[in-house]
Amino acid sequence: MSADRIDGKAFAGGLRERLAATVPAFTAATGRVPGLAVVLVGEDPASSVYVRSKGKATVEAGMASFEHKLPADATQAELLAIIDQLNRDDAVDGILVQLPLPKQLDEQTVIAAIDPDKDVDGFHIANAGRLAVGQPGFVPCTPLGCLMLLKDRIGDLSGLEAVVIGRSNIVGKPMAQLLLGESCTVTIAHSRTRDLPAVVRRADIVVAAVGRPEMVKGDWLKAGAVVIDVGINRVAGSEAGKTKLVGDVDYASAAEVASAITPVPGGVGPMTIAVLLRNTVVAAHRRAGLAPPAGL
Ligand code: NDP
């Protein structure tokens, strides 16, 4: 058996096109375009790359991108002042503070300062609570992107056994909530889980969000499982001095057993920014008192 490759890049491209197509009607109704503000503190190279690509994708979708850069030694008061300004700016529908923050800044306090209705990352405790009780809010982009890929592949997820490996607030926990919302039977595994391979073998759906290169092996999987690999791990490549990206799943052995699997790169990764734009479009509509466009 050789699993189908779930093409997250193509799916994300389609979503971005659908989002761009919603902008003219929003502009006709409100006289403006949806806007996303991204705040970067310091010059971490990976964070700078993410912020640049988020800005580029926002503009490509016909939306407004606002970038705010603070020096690495910025104080909590300076950062909170910018968030306050963005909370009150009507042209800004979504606010994202790029994480991780330098160590003098407290992430929880910073996230708590963002208006929950502009919290397009879905990290505010109000949005975590809304997800837990099944109210509309904002869901973190990576797990929502995973759910979109799963529904596109499988359709109705109701009654399926899902195992989520990882319990972080940004991936594992919201992923489990989303799958529960789809009426899956959900198990959350983590570093203290006993006999992880046996737990994973029960699953029709496996979501790996661990941060350990190629940890999940093909012989951990039930035949026909659908595997979503969230992991992004940089490891030594075959050429000396070169590195490559791998997921948390050993793709080659997993593809022998699974029915479908996301590759790394090109699977979950491209979904994250596309869903960020999706959340911004939804935020813009809600703030303007309009129904969010269907099919997003
Ligand atoms: P965290 O480090 O916050 O969480 C990792 C989780 O994996 C923890 O819950 C941990 O358990 C669990 N874990 C660690 N080791 C094991 C083990 N041996 N067996 C079982 N569980 C284990 O990571 P994130 O959730 O932030 O990210 C996970 C991965 O996803 C990373 O590779 C990250 O780079 C990637 N990622 C990708 C994104 C994308 O856009 N594609 C976005 C976000 C993340 P415990 O809680 O017990 O410590």
Side-chain angles (χ1 to χ4, degrees), residues 94-119:
I95 302 170
L96 178 153
V97 178
Q98 185 66 45
L99 302 178
L101 291 171
K103 58 179 181 327
Q104 76 275 15
L105 304 173
D106 178 49
E107 272 180 20
Q108 287 314 318
T109 308
V110 169
I111 291 167
I114 297 171
D115 176 349
D117 295 335
K118 294 189 177 187
D119 169 40

mmCIF file of all heavy atoms in Angstrom, residues 94-119:
data_model
loop_
_atom_site.group_PDB
_atom_site.id
_atom_site.type_symbol
_atom_site.label_atom_id
_atom_site.label_comp_id
_atom_site.label_asym_id
_atom_site.label_seq_id
_atom_site.Cartn_x
_atom_site.Cartn_y
_atom_site.Cartn_z
ATOM 1 N N GLY A 94 -7.428 41.958 12.738
ATOM 2 C CA GLY A 94 -6.704 40.861 13.380
ATOM 3 C C GLY A 94 -5.380 41.360 13.928
ATOM 4 O O GLY A 94 -4.714 42.191 13.298
ATOM 5 N N ILE A 95 -5.026 40.873 15.127
ATOM 6 C CA ILE A 95 -3.737 41.237 15.734
ATOM 7 C C ILE A 95 -2.988 39.954 16.049
ATOM 8 O O ILE A 95 -3.535 39.039 16.676
ATOM 9 C CB ILE A 95 -3.939 42.017 17.053
ATOM 10 C CG1 ILE A 95 -4.770 43.287 16.816
ATOM 11 C CG2 ILE A 95 -2.586 42.367 17.692
ATOM 12 C CD1 ILE A 95 -5.201 43.968 18.105
ATOM 13 N N LEU A 96 -1.737 39.912 15.609
ATOM 14 C CA LEU A 96 -0.912 38.744 15.893
ATOM 15 C C LEU A 96 0.412 39.225 16.474
ATOM 16 O O LEU A 96 1.064 40.072 15.873
ATOM 17 C CB LEU A 96 -0.684 37.983 14.587
ATOM 18 C CG LEU A 96 0.181 36.744 14.607
ATOM 19 C CD1 LEU A 96 -0.239 35.824 13.492
ATOM 20 C CD2 LEU A 96 1.656 37.062 14.476
ATOM 21 N N VAL A 97 0.754 38.742 17.644
ATOM 22 C CA VAL A 97 2.068 39.030 18.216
ATOM 23 C C VAL A 97 2.925 37.792 17.966
ATOM 24 O O VAL A 97 2.594 36.692 18.427
ATOM 25 C CB VAL A 97 1.969 39.340 19.727
ATOM 26 C CG1 VAL A 97 3.360 39.581 20.303
ATOM 27 C CG2 VAL A 97 1.079 40.555 19.961
ATOM 28 N N GLN A 98 3.983 37.968 17.201
ATOM 29 C CA GLN A 98 4.819 36.818 16.833
ATOM 30 C C GLN A 98 5.522 36.258 18.080
ATOM 31 O O GLN A 98 6.195 36.985 18.799
ATOM 32 C CB GLN A 98 5.846 37.242 15.774
ATOM 33 C CG GLN A 98 6.694 36.104 15.239
ATOM 34 C CD GLN A 98 5.879 35.082 14.452
ATOM 35 O OE1 GLN A 98 5.037 35.429 13.623
ATOM 36 N NE2 GLN A 98 6.112 33.806 14.718
ATOM 37 N N LEU A 99 5.361 34.975 18.317
ATOM 38 C CA LEU A 99 6.002 34.291 19.446
ATOM 39 C C LEU A 99 7.172 33.460 18.922
ATOM 40 O O LEU A 99 7.172 33.090 17.755
ATOM 41 C CB LEU A 99 4.986 33.388 20.147
ATOM 42 C CG LEU A 99 3.718 34.101 20.671
ATOM 43 C CD1 LEU A 99 2.772 33.083 21.291
ATOM 44 C CD2 LEU A 99 4.054 35.198 21.655
ATOM 45 N N PRO A 100 8.158 33.132 19.724
ATOM 46 C CA PRO A 100 8.305 33.485 21.134
ATOM 47 C C PRO A 100 8.756 34.938 21.321
ATOM 48 O O PRO A 100 9.356 35.520 20.417
ATOM 49 C CB PRO A 100 9.397 32.519 21.612
ATOM 50 C CG PRO A 100 10.222 32.249 20.383
ATOM 51 C CD PRO A 100 9.282 32.308 19.231
ATOM 52 N N LEU A 101 8.467 35.487 22.501
ATOM 53 C CA LEU A 101 8.891 36.848 22.842
ATOM 54 C C LEU A 101 10.204 36.794 23.620
ATOM 55 O O LEU A 101 10.482 35.797 24.297
ATOM 56 C CB LEU A 101 7.824 37.511 23.711
ATOM 57 C CG LEU A 101 6.499 37.848 23.020
ATOM 58 C CD1 LEU A 101 5.471 38.285 24.052
ATOM 59 C CD2 LEU A 101 6.688 38.922 21.958
ATOM 60 N N PRO A 102 11.012 37.877 23.553
ATOM 61 C CA PRO A 102 12.207 37.940 24.402
ATOM 62 C C PRO A 102 11.837 37.745 25.875
ATOM 63 O O PRO A 102 10.702 38.032 26.272
ATOM 64 C CB PRO A 102 12.734 39.359 24.159
ATOM 65 C CG PRO A 102 12.167 39.768 22.840
ATOM 66 C CD PRO A 102 10.853 39.066 22.695
ATOM 67 N N LYS A 103 12.810 37.284 26.660
ATOM 68 C CA LYS A 103 12.460 36.756 27.989
ATOM 69 C C LYS A 103 11.977 37.800 28.999
ATOM 70 O O LYS A 103 11.309 37.438 29.966
ATOM 71 C CB LYS A 103 13.610 35.925 28.571
ATOM 72 C CG LYS A 103 14.919 36.669 28.716
ATOM 73 C CD LYS A 103 15.949 35.726 29.331
ATOM 74 C CE LYS A 103 17.295 36.372 29.557
ATOM 75 N NZ LYS A 103 17.735 37.395 28.611
ATOM 76 N N GLN A 104 12.240 39.109 28.738
ATOM 77 C CA GLN A 104 11.742 40.107 29.700
ATOM 78 C C GLN A 104 10.235 40.351 29.540
ATOM 79 O O GLN A 104 9.631 41.053 30.343
ATOM 80 C CB GLN A 104 12.512 41.436 29.554
ATOM 81 C CG GLN A 104 12.142 42.309 28.361
ATOM 82 C CD GLN A 104 12.871 41.925 27.071
ATOM 83 O OE1 GLN A 104 13.457 40.849 26.972
ATOM 84 N NE2 GLN A 104 12.830 42.786 26.090
ATOM 85 N N LEU A 105 9.625 39.758 28.498
ATOM 86 C CA LEU A 105 8.201 40.000 28.235
ATOM 87 C C LEU A 105 7.382 38.762 28.616
ATOM 88 O O LEU A 105 7.796 37.634 28.334
ATOM 89 C CB LEU A 105 7.997 40.333 26.755
ATOM 90 C CG LEU A 105 8.828 41.519 26.252
ATOM 91 C CD1 LEU A 105 8.686 41.671 24.746
ATOM 92 C CD2 LEU A 105 8.396 42.802 26.949
ATOM 93 N N ASP A 106 6.221 38.986 29.221
ATOM 94 C CA ASP A 106 5.397 37.868 29.675
ATOM 95 C C ASP A 106 4.317 37.552 28.632
ATOM 96 O O ASP A 106 3.385 38.339 28.428
ATOM 97 C CB ASP A 106 4.761 38.221 31.025
ATOM 98 C CG ASP A 106 3.866 37.083 31.504
ATOM 99 O OD1 ASP A 106 4.325 35.922 31.481
ATOM 100 O OD2 ASP A 106 2.701 37.357 31.850
ATOM 101 N N GLU A 107 4.463 36.400 27.989
ATOM 102 C CA GLU A 107 3.562 36.039 26.880
ATOM 103 C C GLU A 107 2.097 36.044 27.301
ATOM 104 O O GLU A 107 1.240 36.540 26.574
ATOM 105 C CB GLU A 107 3.929 34.648 26.336
ATOM 106 C CG GLU A 107 4.982 34.732 25.265
ATOM 107 C CD GLU A 107 5.400 33.385 24.690
ATOM 108 O OE1 GLU A 107 4.663 32.384 24.816
ATOM 109 O OE2 GLU A 107 6.483 33.350 24.110
ATOM 110 N N GLN A 108 1.806 35.484 28.458
ATOM 111 C CA GLN A 108 0.400 35.374 28.885
ATOM 112 C C GLN A 108 -0.231 36.763 29.046
ATOM 113 O O GLN A 108 -1.362 36.988 28.625
ATOM 114 C CB GLN A 108 0.290 34.581 30.191
ATOM 115 C CG GLN A 108 0.528 33.086 30.011
ATOM 116 C CD GLN A 108 -0.240 32.505 28.820
ATOM 117 O OE1 GLN A 108 -1.401 32.814 28.579
ATOM 118 N NE2 GLN A 108 0.442 31.668 28.033
ATOM 119 N N THR A 109 0.526 37.698 29.648
ATOM 120 C CA THR A 109 -0.003 39.060 29.842
ATOM 121 C C THR A 109 -0.223 39.729 28.486
ATOM 122 O O THR A 109 -1.220 40.422 28.270
ATOM 123 C CB THR A 109 0.999 39.897 30.676
ATOM 124 O OG1 THR A 109 1.301 39.160 31.847
ATOM 125 C CG2 THR A 109 0.451 41.257 31.040
ATOM 126 N N VAL A 110 0.709 39.504 27.576
ATOM 127 C CA VAL A 110 0.612 40.129 26.247
ATOM 128 C C VAL A 110 -0.597 39.579 25.485
ATOM 129 O O VAL A 110 -1.402 40.336 24.925
ATOM 130 C CB VAL A 110 1.936 39.902 25.477
ATOM 131 C CG1 VAL A 110 1.800 40.297 24.024
ATOM 132 C CG2 VAL A 110 3.067 40.672 26.152
ATOM 133 N N ILE A 111 -0.758 38.261 25.507
ATOM 134 C CA ILE A 111 -1.897 37.660 24.792
ATOM 135 C C ILE A 111 -3.215 38.125 25.408
ATOM 136 O O ILE A 111 -4.180 38.433 24.704
ATOM 137 C CB ILE A 111 -1.783 36.115 24.809
ATOM 138 C CG1 ILE A 111 -0.597 35.670 23.940
ATOM 139 C CG2 ILE A 111 -3.067 35.465 24.299
ATOM 140 C CD1 ILE A 111 -0.201 34.223 24.124
ATOM 141 N N ALA A 112 -3.225 38.231 26.738
ATOM 142 C CA ALA A 112 -4.456 38.641 27.432
ATOM 143 C C ALA A 112 -4.851 40.075 27.096
ATOM 144 O O ALA A 112 -6.016 40.464 27.251
ATOM 145 C CB ALA A 112 -4.279 38.490 28.938
ATOM 146 N N ALA A 113 -3.880 40.876 26.626
ATOM 147 C CA ALA A 113 -4.165 42.280 26.318
ATOM 148 C C ALA A 113 -4.837 42.451 24.950
ATOM 149 O O ALA A 113 -5.402 43.508 24.656
ATOM 150 C CB ALA A 113 -2.867 43.085 26.362
ATOM 151 N N ILE A 114 -4.767 41.416 24.107
ATOM 152 C CA ILE A 114 -5.355 41.524 22.758
ATOM 153 C C ILE A 114 -6.876 41.407 22.863
ATOM 154 O O ILE A 114 -7.393 40.546 23.578
ATOM 155 C CB ILE A 114 -4.792 40.401 21.842
ATOM 156 C CG1 ILE A 114 -3.276 40.565 21.677
ATOM 157 C CG2 ILE A 114 -5.488 40.382 20.489
ATOM 158 C CD1 ILE A 114 -2.603 39.395 20.966
ATOM 159 N N ASP A 115 -7.596 42.284 22.155
ATOM 160 C CA ASP A 115 -9.056 42.190 22.097
ATOM 161 C C ASP A 115 -9.420 40.788 21.565
ATOM 162 O O ASP A 115 -9.023 40.437 20.448
ATOM 163 C CB ASP A 115 -9.557 43.290 21.143
ATOM 164 C CG ASP A 115 -11.062 43.247 20.925
ATOM 165 O OD1 ASP A 115 -11.715 42.259 21.321
ATOM 166 O OD2 ASP A 115 -11.575 44.219 20.329
ATOM 167 N N PRO A 116 -10.167 39.986 22.319
ATOM 168 C CA PRO A 116 -10.474 38.622 21.863
ATOM 169 C C PRO A 116 -11.139 38.583 20.487
ATOM 170 O O PRO A 116 -10.961 37.619 19.745
ATOM 171 C CB PRO A 116 -11.431 38.082 22.931
ATOM 172 C CG PRO A 116 -11.174 38.902 24.146
ATOM 173 C CD PRO A 116 -10.713 40.261 23.663
ATOM 174 N N ASP A 117 -11.863 39.650 20.127
ATOM 175 C CA ASP A 117 -12.521 39.661 18.821
ATOM 176 C C ASP A 117 -11.550 39.983 17.676
ATOM 177 O O ASP A 117 -11.909 39.920 16.502
ATOM 178 C CB ASP A 117 -13.686 40.654 18.818
ATOM 179 C CG ASP A 117 -14.772 40.202 19.785
ATOM 180 O OD1 ASP A 117 -14.855 38.984 20.057
ATOM 181 O OD2 ASP A 117 -15.517 41.061 20.294
ATOM 182 N N LYS A 118 -10.293 40.349 18.033
ATOM 183 C CA LYS A 118 -9.248 40.558 17.023
ATOM 184 C C LYS A 118 -8.150 39.494 17.160
ATOM 185 O O LYS A 118 -7.123 39.571 16.485
ATOM 186 C CB LYS A 118 -8.629 41.952 17.185
ATOM 187 C CG LYS A 118 -9.596 43.099 16.883
ATOM 188 C CD LYS A 118 -8.851 44.436 16.849
ATOM 189 C CE LYS A 118 -9.797 45.572 16.466
ATOM 190 N NZ LYS A 118 -9.069 46.846 16.253
ATOM 191 N N ASP A 119 -8.358 38.538 18.047
ATOM 192 C CA ASP A 119 -7.324 37.540 18.369
ATOM 193 C C ASP A 119 -7.344 36.411 17.326
ATOM 194 O O ASP A 119 -7.794 35.297 17.589
ATOM 195 C CB ASP A 119 -7.600 36.995 19.779
ATOM 196 C CG ASP A 119 -6.773 35.777 20.121
ATOM 197 O OD1 ASP A 119 -5.585 35.748 19.763
ATOM 198 O OD2 ASP A 119 -7.340 34.841 20.729
#
